[in-house]
Amino acid sequence: MLCIAVNCTSGCQIVNEIPAPAILLSVTVNFTTFAVLQSAQMLFNSIGYLFFLPLTVAAYYTLPRQWRWVLLLIASYLFYAFWNPAYVLLLMASTGVSYFAGIKMSEQRSKPARRPYLFLALAVNLGLLFAFKYLGFFTGTVNQLGSIFGFGQIVPYMSLLLPVGISFYTFQSLGYVIDVYRGSAKAEHHAGLFALYVSFFPQLVAGPIERARNLLPQFREVHEFNPVLFSSGLRLILWGLFKKIVIADRLALLVQPVFGQPEYFHGIQVVIAMPLLMMQVYADFSGYTDIAIGSARLMGFRLSPNFNRPFAAKSIAAFWNRWHITLTTWLRDYVYFSLPSKSGGRVKSWKLNLNLIITFLLVGFWHGANWNFLAFGLLHGIYMALANIFKPELTKFNQISGLARFPKLLSAVNITATFFLICTSGFFFGQHPFSDSLTLIRNITEWSNTSAALLTIVKNNDFLLGTALIVFMLWFEYITMEKSFKPRFQSLPVSLRYAAYMAMFFFMLIFGIFTRQEFFYFQF
Amino acid sequence: MFLLLLVVNALLNSIYDRWMIYHRLNRNQDRQFEAFSDTLTYLMLGNSHDMINPQILGNSFNYASPSEVYTQTWYKFKYILEKSSKKPEYVFISVDPVNFSPKAENTIKFDGYWRKYVDYFELAKETGDTDYLVKWFTGRYCAYAGNYKFIFMSLFYLNADFSKVVNGYRPPRDYRNFALEPDRRASGIERATSYLSGYGTAPDPGAVRYFKRILELCAENNIKPILVRMPLTDEYLEHANKLVDMKSLDDQIEKIAGEVAGEYLLFDFRNEFSGRPELFFNADHVNPKGADLISHKIKTRLIESGNY
C-alpha cells in the first residue's frame, strides 16, 4: 500500500490511502531506515555535505578507475535519498525511460521511426513533471474557473509534494533524448554511466542543466588528481558558500518579511526590497552553482557555467545570456528553434516575437506552477519582443539625443534600465500568492511617512551590511571575470594568498547565517 | 594551513566565549545566584520580557536571560533544583505570545553558554533534529560563527558595569523611551513579524512540551508557578493580534496550567500600559521605569492574593 499526500485548498495535509498500482503519485512510503537521512537534508551549506564531499572525493581518487563511476552513482543516489528516499524512484523512472528511448532510437535509421520513442520519453518525463509540479495548479485553476461559471468544484484538488530537482533532471534527460532523436548525440549504451549523467550529485538538484555531449564523455575520461583544477574547485566552493551564507541569507532577512506580509510595506520599503530580492536570488543561485561546479572540479569534472555577471547586461536579451545560461540555452535549442517562424517561406518578425513570448512564458512556468511565474515569464517575453520591435527607434533616439557619442554613458544607461526592468519583474518572482504581488505593486505608490521608514531601514544593521556585501560581490566578480585578476593573484606569495583565503573563511564564519536555509532554486 | 585554521578558530572561539557580552552577563548571573544567601522566595525564569525587579519584591532572584526559550528554562530550572541547594517557593514564568512562537522555540541561542545546562544530544534524540548536534558543536568549538552583531555589541560594551546587576536583575542596557520612536507602528510590526510570523493556529508543540515540563517540575517540588503576561505596546499588539489568536492561546495556557500545575497564579498585565509608550524600551519590552512600575503592581497583587 502506498500513500498519497494531498494538499487541500486550505493548506492542510490530507493523507489518502490508495492502492499500490496507482503509482506516479507522491509516494510517502515508510522508509524507516532512511528516517535519519531525511532529517538531515544534504544541502551544500550543511554539515552533512562537509563530510559527504571530502569522503566522496577521497574515495574517488582511491578507487581503481573502473569502479569510480559506481562510487559516483551510489554517492549521487545517496545524496538524493537524503531529501526523500521515495523520490529516488522518480529519478530511476526518468533515467530508465530516457535510457531505453535513447537505445531504441539509436537502432532506428529514420526520424519517423525514432519518433515513438521520443514521444514515450517526452510523455514520461513531462508526465512526471506535470504530476508533481503542475497538477495542483491545473486542478486549482479548473476549480476556480468552475466556481466563476457556477459549476463549483469540477475536479478534486491535488497538489503533490514537489521532488527536489525534478525540473532539472527531467530537462537534462529530455535534452539527451531530443539530441539522440535529432542525431546530434549518440545514444549512451552504458546504463550505469547514463544513470550517473542524470543523477551526478553536484548538479542534480539545481543544475547546471548539462548536455550529454559535455558531461557523458567526461565519465569515460581518466581523471588523475589535478592540483590546479582541485584548488580552483576549492576556491569556487568557498566563494559560493560565501555568496549563499553571508550575502543571500542575510538579504533574505530583509526581503522575506516584505513578501510574507506585503500589506505592511509601502513606497520606499518596496522600492528597496525589489533590487535586494534580485540580488538575494542571484547570490543564492549563483552561489549554489559555484559550489556545484567547484565540487565537480574536485573530481576533475568540468560543468557548464550558469552565470556571467547578469546585472552587467545592457538589455533583457543579454541578461538571459548571462543568467541561468544552461536553462536559457536549453529552451532556445529545444523550444524556441522548434517553433515555426516562417510564413510563405519567409521569416516573419511578428512570429519570432511571438515565439519569444511563448518561450519566456515557458521559462516562467518552468520556475513554478503559479500565476506569478507566468507573469514573470510573460513580462520578460514582452520586454524582449518590445526591444526587438522598437530597436530602430531606440537606435535613432540614441543618435539624436547624443547618447551614442558617449558609449560608456550609453552602457551605464542601458545597464541601469535593464536592471530596473528586471527589478520590476521581481514582484512576480516567488511562490507567494499572486494577490500579494498586486498588493506590493499597489503599495509602491503610497509614499506617506517615507522619512521615518527610510530612517528605520538605514538604521538596520543587516541592511547596511547587506548593501556593503552586494557592492563587494559585484566588484569582486567584476575584477575576477573582467580583468587580469587571476594571474596577478596567482603571482602573489603563497602566504599572502593563504591569508586572503583565511580572511574570507573567517569573515564567512563571523558574518554568515548558519541556520538551515535551503537554496532558492530548490523549490523549482 | 589546516592546522593554522584550527588554531585561529580556537583562539577566536575562546575570545568570544569569554568576552561575549551575554555570556559575561549570564555567567555573572550564575555567580550571583551561587552567592545568593537570602531566603529565595521568588525566582524569575525566562527571557528578556521578565523585567521584574527583585529588589522591589524582596527575597527574590531574577534569572531571566536574553532570548531564552522554554527548553533552556526547563534545563536551567532542573539544574537549579538538582545541583544547587536553593529551592524557591514561587517561580515567575512569562507566558507571552513570543514564548509559544515556533520562531522562538527553534532558535536556541548562545550555545557557548548554554552548553552548561542544555543536553543537546538528548534534544536531538528526542526531536530527531540533528541541528541540535550542530548547535552543540558550534557552541563548543565555533561559538562566534554567525554572531557578528554580538561581536560588535561585546566590543561596544567591553567596559560594561556589572555592579548595576543586583540579584540577577539587569535594567535594560540604556534608557529608551518608545514614545520617541519615529515610527512606532512600523517598529511594532517589525517586532511582531520577526517573532510571531508563521505562528499558525496553535502554539508551537515544542514550546508547549517544555512549558508543561516546567510546570511539572514546579508540581514535583511544591513550587507555585506564577504565570505573567507582561505589558506590550498597542502597536505590537495591533499586529500580534493578526498573527496569533490571542484568546485561544491564553485559553490553552490556562488549560495546561490547570491540568499540570494544579495551583498557580496568573497575572495579566498585557494591556496594562495601553496608551503609555513612554514606559517601554521598544515595542515589546518595558523600560526601567515600566519595569519598576510593573514590579510594584506584581507586589501588590501578591499581597492581595496572600502570596507575599
Side-chain angles (χ1 to χ4, degrees):
Chain A
M1 187 71 79
L2 301 173
C3 298
I4 56 167
V6 185
N7 285 328
C8 70
T9 43
S10 61
C12 58
Q13 211 175 58
I14 304 164
V15 178
N16 291 338
E17 285 197 337
I18 58 161
I23 49 174
L24 291 184
L25 290 169
S26 171
V27 188
T28 53
V29 181
N30 183 18
F31 280 69
T32 46
T33 43
F34 288 101
V36 178
L37 302 186
Q38 276 182 288
S39 75
Q41 291 180 347
M42 188 66 81
L43 302 171
F44 280 174
N45 54 336
S46 68
I47 294 279
Y49 195 69
L50 201 67
F51 290 100
F52 176 83
L53 182 65
L55 282 174
T56 308
V57 172
Y60 180 77
Y61 285 114
T62 312
L63 275 177
R65 289 161 196 169
Q66 67 269 29
W67 293 108
R68 286 179 180 177
W69 70 267
V70 180
L71 167 83
L72 288 182
L73 187 61
I74 293 169
S76 298
Y77 270 77
L78 193 64
F79 178 84
Y80 197 68
F82 271 98
W83 267 276
N84 189 334
Y87 284 162
V88 166
L89 298 175
L90 297 178
L91 185 61
M92 285 174 166
S94 174
T95 306
V97 170
S98 304
Y99 173 74
F100 171 75
I103 296 290
K104 282 293 176 191
M105 280 194 288
S106 70
E107 291 166 0
Q108 317 301 321
R109 292 194 171 186
S110 66
K111 270 192 174 182
R114 293 199 287 267
R115 206 162 285 154
Y117 302 106
L118 171 72
F119 286 152
L120 171 73
L122 285 174
V124 171
N125 279 295
L126 293 178
L128 285 176
L129 202 54
F130 178 82
F132 284 90
K133 190 164 178 175
Y134 300 106
L135 191 61
F137 176 73
F138 277 99
T139 53
T141 306
V142 166
N143 286 332
Q144 272 179 346
L145 288 174
S147 61
I148 289 169
F149 292 107
F151 297 114
Q153 185 171 330
I154 298 169
V155 288
Y157 179 77
M158 291 177 86
S159 176
L160 309 172
L161 295 170
L162 182 69
V164 68
I166 193 167
S167 308
F168 291 90
Y169 68 72
T170 49
F171 267 45
Q172 191 154 308
S173 297
L174 283 176
Y176 160 80
V177 171
I178 297 169
D179 280 348
V180 174
Y181 168 75
R182 286 176 175 174
S184 55
K186 284 184 179 173
E188 175 57 62
H189 286 262
H190 192 302
L193 290 189
F194 182 75
L196 181 55
Y197 159 70
V198 180
S199 65
F200 187 44
F201 73 85
Q203 46 87 238
L204 171 60
V205 290
I209 302 168
E210 285 295 338
R211 301 298 175 87
R213 62 176 170 273
N214 178 48
L215 191 56
L216 265 171
Q218 293 189 55
F219 294 131
R220 294 188 190 280
E221 291 168 5
V222 177
H223 294 142
E224 299 296 348
F225 181 77
N226 178 341
V228 177
L229 198 62
F230 191 86
S231 57
S232 80
L234 284 180
R235 275 198 300 274
L236 261 182
I237 292 172
L238 181 63
W239 179 235
L241 278 174
F242 185 90
K243 282 198 278 187
K244 167 64 181 165
I245 294 171
V246 181
I247 305 175
D249 291 348
R250 176 86 38 211
L251 294 177
L253 296 178
L254 303 163
V255 173
Q256 275 171 358
V258 179
F259 284 91
Q261 307 219 289
E263 61 273 29
Y264 296 108
F265 295 89
H266 304 90
I268 190 74
Q269 294 165 315
V270 183
V271 168
I272 288 174
M274 286 304 130
L276 291 182
L277 169 75
M278 295 320 295
M279 289 295 172
Q280 181 215 334
V281 175
Y282 172 67
D284 193 287
F285 190 25
S286 68
Y288 167 85
T289 306
D290 287 344
I291 302 170
I293 295 174
S295 301
R297 277 190 196 174
L298 297 184
M299 295 173 285
F301 295 95
R302 293 170 194 273
L303 299 182
S304 306
N306 229 3
F307 292 92
N308 179 19
R309 296 178 56 232
F311 299 122
K314 294 172 191 165
S315 66
I316 293 291
F319 171 78
W320 283 104
N321 283 328
R322 290 161 168 261
W323 175 282
H324 205 174
I325 298 164
T326 55
L327 173 69
T328 317
T329 50
W330 195 100
L331 286 165
R332 181 197 65 196
D333 293 350
Y334 301 120
V335 177
Y336 180 72
F337 287 161
S338 306
L339 294 170
S341 58
K342 289 181 181 172
S343 187
R346 299 178 67 181
V347 174
K348 296 286 179 187
S349 60
W350 71 268
K351 279 201 165 185
L352 286 176
N353 288 328
L354 182 66
N355 293 348
L356 264 180
I357 293 174
I358 292 169
T359 306
F360 274 88
L361 266 174
L362 283 175
V363 168
F365 210 43
W366 176 90
H367 280 89
N370 64 36
W371 293 107
N372 266 331
F373 283 120
L374 276 172
F376 173 81
L378 182 66
L379 210 53
H380 277 265
I382 290 171
Y383 286 158
M384 289 177 72
L386 287 177
N388 283 344
I389 293 165
F390 291 107
K391 195 175 179 181
E393 283 79 5
L394 271 172
T395 314
K396 214 175 194 176
F397 172 79
N398 289 340
Q399 281 165 352
I400 292 168
S401 65
L403 266 174
R405 281 185 287 138
F406 304 99
K408 284 192 174 173
L409 179 64
L410 184 60
S411 289
V413 169
N414 285 338
I415 288 170
T416 311
T418 304
F419 185 62
F420 172 76
L421 291 176
I422 292 162
C423 289
T424 56
S425 68
F427 287 108
F428 304 105
F429 197 81
Q431 301 284 11
H432 53 276
F434 187 66
S435 57
D436 284 359
S437 305
L438 300 179
T439 305
L440 280 173
I441 293 170
R442 198 170 49 243
N443 287 1
I444 206 168
T445 57
E446 288 180 33
W447 285 76
S448 59
N449 222 3
T450 301
S451 55
L454 196 59
L455 194 67
T456 311
I457 293 169
V458 297
K459 274 166 63 183
N460 185 329
N461 291 335
D462 288 323
F463 174 76
L464 296 174
L465 180 62
T467 310
L469 288 166
I470 289 170
V471 173
F472 173 73
M473 173 177 71
L474 298 177
W475 169 79
F476 188 72
E477 295 203 330
Y478 169 73
I479 60 157
T480 49
M481 286 187 188
E482 294 288 320
K483 302 282 180 188
S484 54
F485 174 79
K486 280 177 192 166
R488 276 192 290 142
F489 185 74
Q490 294 296 337
S491 66
L492 289 174
V494 177
S495 55
L496 270 182
R497 275 188 283 150
Y498 280 4
Y501 296 140
M502 276 186 65
M504 182 169 254
F505 178 77
F506 283 110
F507 188 91
M508 187 167 76
L509 278 185
I510 292 169
F511 290 92
I513 290 181
F514 293 93
T515 47
R516 194 159 51 189
Q517 303 280 333
E518 280 203 349
F519 285 88
F520 201 91
Y521 263 64
F522 282 8
Q523 58 191 300
F524 307 139
Chain B
M1 171 78 171
F2 185 65
L3 205 64
L4 191 62
L5 273 179
L6 291 181
V7 170
V8 174
N9 178 67
L11 195 69
L12 287 173
N13 186 51
S14 159
I15 295 169
Y16 182 84
D17 190 55
R18 194 180 169 91
W19 291 101
M20 206 284 266
I21 183 70
Y22 289 153
H23 287 187
R24 288 168 69 201
L25 276 166
N26 291 347
R27 284 177 184 145
N28 180 58
Q29 227 176 11
D30 288 350
R31 282 191 295 273
Q32 286 194 350
F33 187 71
E34 215 168 294
F36 187 82
S37 56
D38 297 344
T39 311
L40 183 64
T41 310
Y42 305 103
L43 177 67
M44 295 84 176
L45 292 174
N47 60 22
S48 56
H49 279 223
D50 294 2
M51 298 301 295
I52 304 168
N53 191 339
Q55 285 179 291
I56 292 172
L57 258 58
N59 290 344
S60 54
F61 191 91
N62 191 326
Y63 220 153
S65 75
S67 302
E68 189 176 317
V69 298
Y70 283 148
T71 311
Q72 291 159 308
T73 303
W74 179 73
Y75 274 109
K76 190 180 253 187
F77 191 22
K78 198 157 76 95
Y79 184 94
I80 291 168
L81 295 172
E82 286 172 1
K83 300 198 174 157
S84 82
S85 55
K86 300 174 181 72
K87 198 183 109 179
E89 287 178 46
Y90 299 86
V91 161
F92 280 86
I93 304 153
S94 64
V95 284
D96 295 323
V98 71
N99 293 106
F100 294 91
S101 161
K103 287 203 170 180
E105 196 57 30
N106 294 330
T107 51
I108 289 185
K109 287 180 184 169
F110 315 130
D111 306 290
Y113 164 76
W114 281 98
R115 281 188 301 118
K116 181 181 168 186
Y117 298 104
V118 174
D119 187 341
Y120 288 86
F121 293 90
E122 188 179 72
L123 274 175
K125 202 173 154 191
E126 202 169 295
T127 59
D129 187 351
T130 48
D131 269 3
Y132 284 112
L133 300 180
V134 178
K135 288 178 82 60
W136 172 84
F137 182 84
T138 49
R140 175 75 183 82
Y141 297 106
C142 203
Y144 64 92
N147 287 324
Y148 85 94
K149 281 182 189 170
F150 299 117
I151 292 172
F152 286 117
M153 194 192 273
S154 305
L155 288 171
F156 191 75
Y157 291 104
L158 206 56
N159 296 317
D161 182 6
F162 287 95
S163 66
K164 287 180 183 168
V165 182
V166 180
N167 291 359
Y169 177 70
R170 173 179 63 95
R173 57 184 173 270
D174 51 5
Y175 184 85
R176 251 164 57 185
N177 182 345
F178 188 60
L180 302 176
E181 185 75 26
D183 190 345
R184 293 208 300 268
R185 190 164 178 270
S187 179
I189 290 170
E190 195 268 321
R191 294 289 303 179
T193 308
S194 298
Y195 293 95
L196 302 177
S197 61
Y199 209 98
T201 50
D204 181 72
V208 170
R209 187 163 62 245
Y210 282 93
F211 175 62
K212 278 183 181 171
R213 287 186 184 180
I214 294 166
L215 296 180
E216 280 163 6
L217 263 186
C218 287
E220 285 162 15
N221 291 279
N222 291 321
I223 297 167
K224 192 184 272 188
I226 304 174
L227 311 182
V228 189
R229 291 184 193 130
M230 289 298 282
L232 296 166
T233 60
D234 296 335
E235 291 80 4
Y236 180 90
L237 279 171
E238 181 199 343
H239 193 56
N241 276 314
K242 291 174 187 165
L243 300 169
V244 182
D245 183 347
M246 219 69 90
K247 170 84 174 62
S248 162
L249 173 68
D250 292 344
D251 289 347
Q252 284 185 65
I253 291 167
E254 286 173 44
K255 189 168 174 263
I256 292 167
E259 284 170 5
V260 181
E263 202 183 346
Y264 71 97
L265 295 171
L266 176 68
F267 296 160
D268 187 355
F269 295 114
R270 190 177 288 156
N271 296 297
E272 194 73 14
F273 294 161
S274 176
R276 300 195 63 188
E278 74 281 4
L279 296 175
F280 288 89
F281 172 84
N282 62 12
D284 57 337
H285 290 86
V286 288
N287 59 24
K289 199 171 160 187
D292 283 358
L293 202 56
I294 212 70
S295 302
H296 282 292
K297 283 176 184 282
I298 286 173
K299 188 176 177 180
T300 309
R301 293 262 183 108
L302 286 171
I303 293 167
E304 284 169 358
S305 60
N307 289 287
Y308 191 75

